[in-house]
Amino acid sequence: MKITLRKASALQNAINETLKGLEVITTVTVDEFQNPADVIAAARAEAGKAFVRKSALLDVLYTVRKDVAAANAGAGITDLLAEVAQLEKRIQLQGQLAGATAVLESAVLDGRLARLRESTSETRLYRSSDGVETGVFTSDEIASAKAELADLKKRKQALQDRLLELNVSTSVELSEKSVIVLQQEGLV
């Protein structure tokens, strides 16, 4: 049975949810009115069934994971994911520059510094700082960073669109044994 990578991802999530719900109970309580051998045997049988189910589902899960990993590498998805991650980090970095405050014009900066120098110690008591805060990048540099940020976001969206296409068009083959286990669990 062939399934797309997108369906394989959903299948892996479903298998994990099923595994969370399966408990292998290894203890039992016997009261004074029960036959201990019968209670223990019944509990042992149930634990054995649960263990076999869990084991079979784990085998299928990791077989699917290996197949998906191989398909991802073969289709170039692994490389695209790395490019998307790199673009996300560059977007964060470029966003810092794009959101920066521009450097004050030299006349404004000089005027504020002169006023600060001329102020008396009494007026300085009411100020929150002893300096003039200014950005370090020019308005043109910030505008350029904003344009670069927009370009990076477009490139990231294009890569994500390509990833979606590949996830829908690339498929993996489930083994007959895997299909049987998944059918027994109601997952396919």
Side-chain angles (χ1 to χ4, degrees):
M1 165 187 268
K2 278 193 171 199
I3 59 172
T4 65
L5 293 179
R6 191 174 174 104
K7 287 182 182 176
S9 177
L11 179 61
Q12 289 177 74
N13 291 336
I15 292 170
N16 278 320
E17 285 302 311
T18 302
L19 285 168
K20 285 180 191 174
L22 284 177
E23 277 190 71
V24 178
I25 300 172
T26 58
T27 61
V28 67
T29 302
V30 181
D31 67 30
E32 67 269 15
F33 302 109
Q34 295 174 311
N35 180 339
D38 292 343
V39 173
I40 292 170
R44 181 183 181 103
E46 286 301 312
K49 287 178 191 174
F51 182 82
V52 168
R53 281 180 68 198
K54 262 190 138 160
S55 182
L57 280 170
L58 283 170
D59 289 345
V60 171
L61 175 65
Y62 287 98
T63 298
V64 171
R65 279 186 70 173
K66 287 180 207 173
D67 293 345
V68 166
N72 279 344
I77 291 173
T78 304
D79 293 339
L80 285 174
L81 288 171
E83 286 182 54
V84 168
Q86 180 184 18
L87 281 174
E88 286 172 349
K89 293 300 182 184
R90 288 197 56 211
I91 286 169
Q92 286 177 353
L93 183 61
Q94 200 67 26
Q96 288 179 325
L97 181 56
T101 302
V103 66
L104 290 174
E105 293 179 28
S106 59
V108 173
L109 182 59
D110 291 342
R112 289 184 184 175
L113 288 172
R115 189 172 19 154
L116 191 61
R117 283 186 209 104
E118 294 168 0
S119 66
T120 64
S121 61
E122 191 174 292
T123 56
R124 284 186 185 210
L125 290 175
Y126 300 107
R127 287 211 175 105
S128 60
S129 72
D130 290 327
V132 177
E133 187 173 308
T134 181
V136 296
F137 296 105
T138 66
S139 297
D140 289 342
E141 290 170 323
I142 293 170
S144 176
K146 287 179 181 178
E148 175 69 16
L149 180 62
D151 182 57
L152 289 170
K153 288 180 178 180
K154 286 178 192 172
R155 288 173 43 199
K156 179 184 170 197
Q157 185 60 51
L159 286 177
Q160 287 176 320
D161 291 346
R162 180 70 183 130
L163 279 169
L164 180 60
E165 289 173 23
L166 287 171
N167 277 322
V168 172
S169 65
T170 306
S171 60
V172 293
E173 182 77 34
L174 295 177
S175 70
E176 194 175 314
K177 179 182 174 185
S178 294
V179 171
I180 291 170
V181 170
L182 294 169
Q183 285 173 338
Q184 288 172 343
E185 294 295 331
L187 297 175
V188 289

